[in-house]
C-alpha cells in the first residue's frame, strides 16, 4: 500500500502467504546439499552415495533424483560432477520458503544449478510458495530465475521480489500492494482562515485552484503524523492533529493502483509561512468563505462535500475519527485503530 508498508502482505484473513518481515531480507538456514560422486542406476538415474545435513533426515539421497522443473526432467552427469547445494533459505509459517538474499551464489551458473536443485528439493518436501528476493547488485540473476518459472511480484529501489508456486492449481500467494495512501491537511486558524497552497506542477484546468496541502504518507508512517509532516514540508506551518474527517477510496489511478486519501483536520501551532520551493508555487491563509467560493470547489461534488464536512466539524455537528493505540493478539504488534468517542453529556467529540 503505497510505500507503506507496514507489512502489507499480511492480514488477518490470509490462510496462505508469508509475513513480510525481516525474514525476507535476512534469512539463515542450514544448506541442503549432496556430495559429488553419483553412481548411475540401471535406469540411468543418479543417486548420491552420501548426503549431508538435513538431506539424511529426509532420505532424499536414497531416492532416484530427477530435476522436475516446469514439467521437464533433467539428468546430467556434468551437473553432478561437483557439489550440488540447495539455496540458503528458511521456512515461512504458511508452508513456503524464503530464500536468503544475502547468501546467494556469486556465479549465475552456480545459482541456476542450485535453484533447480532447490525447487526439486522443496517440491519433495511439499513446500508451497517460494519467495526469492534479488538485490539490485544481483540483477544478473533475474533472467535465470525467470527462466526457471519464477514470476515478478514487486520491486523497490534496491531489490526485485520474485515468487514461484509449486502446487498444481491457482497460486495462493498474496498479491502485491494494491493501494497508495495520501493525506490532506485542513488547517484553519482563529480568524477563520484556511491554510492553502498552489502547486508548481498541475493540470491546466487547476491553474487557479487554491487547495489544502496534500501528499503521500511514508513507509511505516501513521496517517496523523503524515498529515502534520506534509503541512510542515509544504508551508512551514507547525500543526497539531485533531481528527480524520473523511477518506476517499478511488481505483485505477497511478500505475493502475487504488488510492486511499484521508482528510485530516489540524490545529495550527504557528502562522508564519515558508514555502517549499520544490513543489509549491505559493501558500497563504485564505478566508474560509473565499476558499469555499472557488469555482473548482463549487463545481466538484467530492471537494464540496469534504468542505461541508469540515465546516460541520467546526460547528461541532460532526465527529471525526481519532487514533487509538491498540495491540492485537493476532500479531502482537501495536497499531492505530481510528474511531470517535462521544461524550454522552454534551454530545461533543472527545477531540474538541
Amino acid at each position: 500500500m503505497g510505500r507503506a508498508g507496514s507489512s502489507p502482505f499480511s492480514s488477518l484473513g490470509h490462510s496462505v502467504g508469508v509475513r513480510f518481515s525481516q525474514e525476507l531480507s535476512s534469512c539463515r538456514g542450514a544448506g541442503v546439499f549432496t556430495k559429488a560422486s553419483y553412481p548411475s542406476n540401471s535406469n540411468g538415474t543418479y543417486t548420491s552415495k552420501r548426503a549431508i545435513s538435513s538431506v539424511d533426515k529426509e532420505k532424499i539421497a536414497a531416492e532416484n533424483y530427477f530435476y522436475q522443473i516446469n514439467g521437464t526432467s533433467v539428468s546430467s552427469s556434468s551437473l553432478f560432477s561437483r557439489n550440488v547445494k540447495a539455496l540458503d533459505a528458511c521456512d515461512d509459517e504458511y508452508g513456503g520458503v524464503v530464500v536468503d538474499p544475502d547468501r546467494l551464489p556469486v556465479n549465475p551458473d552456480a545459482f541456476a544449478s542450485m535453484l533447480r536443485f532447490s525447487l526439486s528439493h522443496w517440491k519433495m518436501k511439499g513446500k508451497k510458495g517460494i519467495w526469492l528476493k534479488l538485490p539490485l547488485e544481483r540483477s544478473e540473476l533475474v533472467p535465470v530465475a525467470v527462466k526457471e518459472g519464477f514470476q515478478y511480484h514487486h520491486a523497490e529501489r534496491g531489490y526485485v521480489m520474485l515468487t514461484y508456486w509449486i502446487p498444481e492449481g491457482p497460486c495462493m500467494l498474496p498479491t502485491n500492494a494494491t493501494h497508495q495512501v495520501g493525506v490532506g491537511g485542513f488547517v484553519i486558524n482563529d480568524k477563520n482562515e484556511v491554510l492553502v497552497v498552489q502547486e508548481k506542477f498541475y493540470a491546466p484546468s487547476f491553474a487557479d485552484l487554491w487547495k489544502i496541502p496534500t501528499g503521500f504518507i511514508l513507509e511505516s508512517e501513521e496517517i496523523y503524523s503524515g498529515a502534520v509532516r506534509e503541512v510542515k514540508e509544504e508551508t512551514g506551518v507547525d500543526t497539531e492533529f485533531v481528527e480524520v474527517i473523511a477518506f476517499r477510496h478511488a481505483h485505477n489511478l497511478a500505475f493502475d493502483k487504488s488510492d486511499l486519501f484521508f482528510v485530516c483536520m489540524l490545529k495550527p501551532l504557528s502562522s508564519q509561512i515558508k514555502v517549499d520551493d520544490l513543489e509549491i508555487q505559493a501558500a497563504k491563509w485564505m478566508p474560509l468563505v473565499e476558499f469555499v467560493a472557488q469555482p473548482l470547489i463549487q463545481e466538484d461534488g467530492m471537494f464540496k462535500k469534504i468542505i461541508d464536512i469540515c465546516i460541520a466539524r467546526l460547528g461541532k455537528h460532526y465527529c471525526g475519527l481519532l487514533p487509538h493505540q491498540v495491540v492485537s493478539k493476532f500479531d502482537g504488534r501495536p497499531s492505530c485503530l481510528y474511531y470517535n468517542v462521544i461524550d454522552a453529556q454534551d454530545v461533543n467529540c472527545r477531540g474538541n
Side-chain angles (χ1 to χ4, degrees):
M1 193 151 49
R3 292 186 56 83
S6 66
S7 180
F9 299 94
S10 64
S11 71
L12 304 183
H14 283 325
S15 58
V16 181
V18 61
R19 291 186 192 279
F20 279 75
S21 62
Q22 292 181 352
E23 288 182 348
L24 287 180
S25 59
S26 179
C27 179
R28 297 290 181 263
V32 177
F33 62 93
T34 53
K35 194 175 175 75
S37 179
Y38 293 79
S40 174
N41 292 334
S42 58
N43 62 3
T45 63
Y46 288 86
T47 59
S48 66
K49 295 175 69 176
R50 178 169 176 264
I52 299 178
S53 185
S54 57
V55 182
D56 282 327
K57 299 176 183 179
E58 294 153 15
K59 299 182 180 179
I60 294 175
E63 303 178 18
N64 292 335
Y65 180 76
F66 276 98
Y67 285 138
Q68 295 284 348
I69 307 299
N70 294 333
T72 304
S73 298
V74 181
S75 72
S76 170
S77 59
S78 63
L79 184 61
F80 289 95
S81 63
R82 61 185 183 277
N83 288 346
V84 180
K85 181 178 180 294
L87 295 169
D88 287 290
C90 61
D91 296 341
D92 66 41
E93 58 187 295
Y94 300 100
V97 174
V98 181
V99 177
D100 188 346
D102 298 323
R103 303 181 69 177
L104 297 169
V106 176
N107 186 280
D109 292 333
F111 172 74
S113 299
M114 294 172 69
L115 186 60
R116 296 189 196 104
F117 178 88
S118 299
L119 287 172
S120 181
H121 169 67
W122 294 327
K123 184 175 182 179
M124 287 188 289
K125 290 181 66 177
K127 294 300 180 181
K128 298 176 181 177
I130 312 301
W131 297 89
L132 177 62
K133 180 180 180 180
L134 296 179
L136 182 62
E137 60 271 18
R138 303 308 314 277
S139 59
E140 75 278 4
L141 302 181
V142 172
V144 178
V146 171
K147 185 177 181 180
E148 297 303 328
F150 277 80
Q151 295 183 340
Y152 294 119
H153 187 273
H154 69 276
E156 294 290 347
R157 288 179 180 270
Y159 71 87
V160 60
M161 181 70 74
L162 299 100
T163 59
Y164 188 103
W165 183 250
I166 293 178
E168 294 183 1
C171 176
M172 299 298 292
L173 294 175
T175 60
N176 184 23
T178 59
H179 287 67
Q180 58 185 10
V181 181
V183 289
F186 184 82
V187 187
I188 188 164
N189 61 20
D190 294 336
K191 300 177 182 178
N192 231 24
E193 296 173 327
V194 182
L195 181 61
V196 294
V197 299
Q198 285 187 334
E199 297 181 337
K200 277 192 172 182
F201 309 101
Y202 50 82
S205 57
F206 297 151
D208 299 322
L209 176 65
W210 288 95
K211 56 183 283 292
I212 62 175
T214 61
F216 292 112
I217 65 172
L218 305 177
E219 186 174 353
S220 301
E221 185 177 39
E222 297 289 352
I223 294 170
Y224 62 87
S225 58
V228 171
R229 175 189 52 78
E230 279 292 341
V231 170
K232 176 67 173 179
E233 288 180 354
E234 293 191 359
T235 69
V237 175
D238 294 310
T239 59
E240 178 183 29
F241 176 84
V242 178
E243 291 173 350
V244 170
I245 298 300
F247 69 89
R248 180 215 62 185
H249 194 197
H251 307 285
N252 300 316
L253 298 182
F255 308 106
D256 295 323
K257 297 296 184 181
S258 297
D259 182 274
L260 285 167
F261 179 74
F262 291 85
V263 181
C264 303
M265 178 164 284
L266 306 176
K267 177 182 178 181
L269 301 178
S270 64
S271 59
Q272 185 174 357
I273 292 176
K274 183 179 179 181
V275 171
D276 174 16
D277 293 331
L278 293 177
E279 300 181 59
I280 303 302
Q281 183 68 36
K284 67 178 182 179
W285 292 99
M286 187 177 197
L288 178 60
V289 175
E290 293 182 18
F291 176 65
V292 175
Q294 293 182 98
L296 285 172
I297 298 292
Q298 290 295 318
E299 296 168 4
D300 188 284
M302 186 188 70
F303 279 129
K304 189 175 185 304
K305 187 63 178 179
I306 289 174
I307 300 305
D308 289 343
I309 293 172
C310 291
I311 293 175
R313 176 63 184 85
L314 292 173
K316 300 182 180 181
H317 302 302
Y318 176 89
C319 290
L321 306 177
L322 284 166
H324 300 264
Q325 291 288 335
V326 295
V327 178
S328 171
K329 288 187 177 180
F330 284 97
D331 56 17
R333 297 179 179 180
S335 59
C336 276
L337 183 64
Y338 286 78
Y339 59 92
N340 58 29
V341 178
I342 303 296
D343 189 326
Q345 295 181 355
D346 58 11
V347 198
N348 283 331
C349 299
R350 183 70 57 85
N352 285 336

